[in-house]
Amino acid sequence: MLRQGVKQFSQLTQLAPFWPTRSWRLLLLVALTFSLLLPGPLAELIRQSLVDAYLGVSVFVLATLLLFYTIEQGLKVDLADLLRQNPLWQVPVATLLGVLPGCGGAVMVATAYSAGKISMGALVATLTATMGDAAFLLLFNQPVTALKVFALAAAAAIISGYLVDTLNLYAPARTRHSDVQVIAPRKATPFNYLYLLLGIPGLCFAIAGLLQWQPSVLLAQIQDSIALTALLLGMVIWCLSPATIHYNNKQSALLKAQDETLFVSSWVIGAFVLYAILDHFGGLNLAAVTDAGAVWMPMLGLLVGLLPGCGPQILLTTLYLHGQVPFSALLANAIGNDGDALFPTLAINGKAALWATLYSAVPALLFGYGWYWLVEA
């Protein structure tokens, strides 16, 4: 009977087939819960970092993606077919999809390339333009800087994309793939709706924080409680989710938005907590390194950008927001990184992903060092 009960629970939560690859999510949930129960200044430092991560990034990511995916599903437009019929618009549209915060747009373009509907130049353009999930962090902390980065990255993407197509540079053979990931559509649970409900006051507190509003002691306690509860609930939802990547067009707008939000949140939590701990105990100060070797900063930004995933990019953006690395390094990183779009692109067409990454590294160095020599040097 006990064995049958465990089996039913596994089927209910859909954990059974995915448990080996989802165990690290459980470790994150346990670590967060344990940190909230600890006493002392270190625990308080971690708690404040978690609150800042939720109110500074997660709640905005959820609101933005929910709006984006709702519109996308409502229009029911096959963008890939439209691009195939209008080849001259492929590069600028792919650039626009890449510039959108997050990696959903870039994944759409990668899938369209694999299906033979767009050119190599369009793939290069979207990977050059995307800043990945780090764009959310920059956008909601320094919107003017974010718009500057988006504009420069878009310019680099359009130039690079058209050059790749015009010069007919090497483009690996396409490998057809029906979808990035196919799992059975899921139904939203009460946990999903509760997480969405907590996001409403969370968004209000987050917007108030951007407006420099100082809450009373009581409201500050309510704000922190909502943020921490939402973070923990989000990690529970993520542990129960069978999605192996955060973008899946087979799901509802609510589940897609929450899947990607929780994926972003896990990296943001890590970046915020790591920075706070290093700054508290080690006096983290990369400004001195920047001053001593400023000429290497754009190269550093590119090298971090070549690392797959959004985690390293979020950490570098966090360091920029704390004044630890210059804008030239941020710009080179934004143009050179492919965010989480690199993972599904590698799965769909590994050679194309690697060549597109190499192509995007060239404008990353040119724009990064161009900014350094013209503005910072």
Side-chain angles (χ1 to χ4, degrees):
M1 183 178 295
L2 177 60
R3 181 179 301 177
Q4 183 179 4
V6 172
K7 182 178 180 180
Q8 291 176 346
F9 177 77
S10 298
Q11 293 174 344
L12 175 63
T13 60
Q14 301 182 24
L15 278 175
F18 305 96
W19 189 252
T21 57
R22 301 279 71 82
S23 57
W24 69 276
R25 299 184 183 183
L26 180 62
L27 290 177
L28 178 59
L29 174 61
V30 172
L32 290 179
T33 305
F34 184 70
S35 66
L36 294 178
L37 298 177
L38 288 175
L42 177 59
E44 182 59 33
L45 180 69
I46 295 176
R47 281 192 288 269
Q48 188 57 52
S49 299
L50 296 177
V51 172
D52 293 341
Y54 179 76
L55 296 179
V57 181
S58 297
V59 70
F60 287 114
V61 174
L62 178 62
T64 303
L65 291 179
L66 188 58
L67 176 63
F68 175 74
Y69 288 138
T70 300
I71 294 174
E72 179 188 64
Q73 290 188 353
L75 293 178
K76 296 180 180 179
V77 175
D78 191 336
L79 184 59
D81 282 337
L82 291 178
L83 290 177
R84 180 177 56 81
Q85 297 167 13
N86 299 275
L88 288 179
W89 288 97
Q90 290 182 8
V91 169
V93 172
T95 298
L96 177 61
L97 290 172
V99 167
L100 291 174
C103 299
V107 173
M108 291 170 60
V109 174
T111 306
Y113 175 82
S114 178
K117 296 182 178 181
I118 62 172
S119 67
M120 181 67 175
L123 178 64
V124 171
T126 199
L127 293 182
T128 300
T130 186
M131 191 179 175
D133 297 323
F136 288 114
L137 180 60
L138 185 63
L139 182 63
F140 296 122
N141 283 274
Q142 293 189 14
V144 175
T145 301
L147 293 177
K148 186 194 307 183
V149 171
F150 296 164
L152 291 172
I158 291 176
I159 294 172
S160 302
Y162 278 128
L163 280 177
V164 168
D165 284 344
T166 301
L167 300 177
N168 196 25
L169 297 182
Y170 174 70
R174 294 173 173 87
T175 302
R176 296 187 64 85
H177 196 288
S178 60
D179 200 354
V180 176
Q181 178 195 22
V182 180
I183 60 175
R186 317 186 323 261
K187 292 184 178 180
T189 68
F191 285 168
N192 295 114
Y193 292 116
L194 179 57
Y195 184 75
L196 178 64
L197 186 63
L198 289 172
I200 297 175
L203 182 62
C204 294
F205 280 120
I207 294 175
L210 292 178
L211 298 176
Q212 306 298 317
W213 173 71
Q214 296 296 326
S216 63
V217 175
L218 177 60
L219 285 178
Q221 292 176 345
I222 295 175
Q223 168 189 278
D224 292 356
S225 297
I226 290 175
L228 295 175
T229 301
L231 270 183
L232 288 177
L233 177 62
M235 290 302 103
V236 171
I237 295 172
W238 205 35
C239 285
L240 300 179
S241 171
T244 56
I245 62 171
H246 56 281
Y247 182 83
N248 185 347
N249 59 10
K250 300 300 181 183
Q251 303 303 319
S252 66
L254 174 62
L255 292 179
K256 284 170 61 178
Q258 289 192 2
D259 280 344
E260 183 160 350
T261 297
L262 297 176
F263 181 89
V264 175
S265 296
S266 66
W267 286 106
V268 171
I269 288 170
F272 274 53
V273 172
L274 177 61
Y275 181 88
I277 292 176
L278 291 177
D279 184 55
H280 179 75
F281 289 103
L284 180 63
N285 184 12
L286 294 182
V289 178
T290 302
D291 294 338
V295 71
W296 296 106
M297 288 298 107
M299 178 62 74
L300 173 64
L302 172 61
L303 291 177
V304 174
L306 293 178
L307 297 174
C310 287
Q313 327 313 331
I314 290 174
L315 179 57
L316 188 136
T317 303
T318 302
L319 294 175
Y320 169 79
L321 293 174
H322 286 84
Q324 303 295 299
V325 297
F327 182 81
S328 59
L330 177 71
L331 181 60
N333 177 265
I335 295 175
N337 92 75
D338 302 328
D340 295 309
L342 187 60
F343 290 122
T345 309
L346 283 169
I348 296 170
N349 195 323
K351 288 185 178 180
L354 293 176
W355 276 96
T357 299
L358 292 176
Y359 289 150
S360 65
V362 176
L365 285 177
L366 292 176
F367 275 70
Y369 274 106
W371 186 274
Y372 170 75
W373 290 115
L374 293 175
V375 179
E376 296 174 355

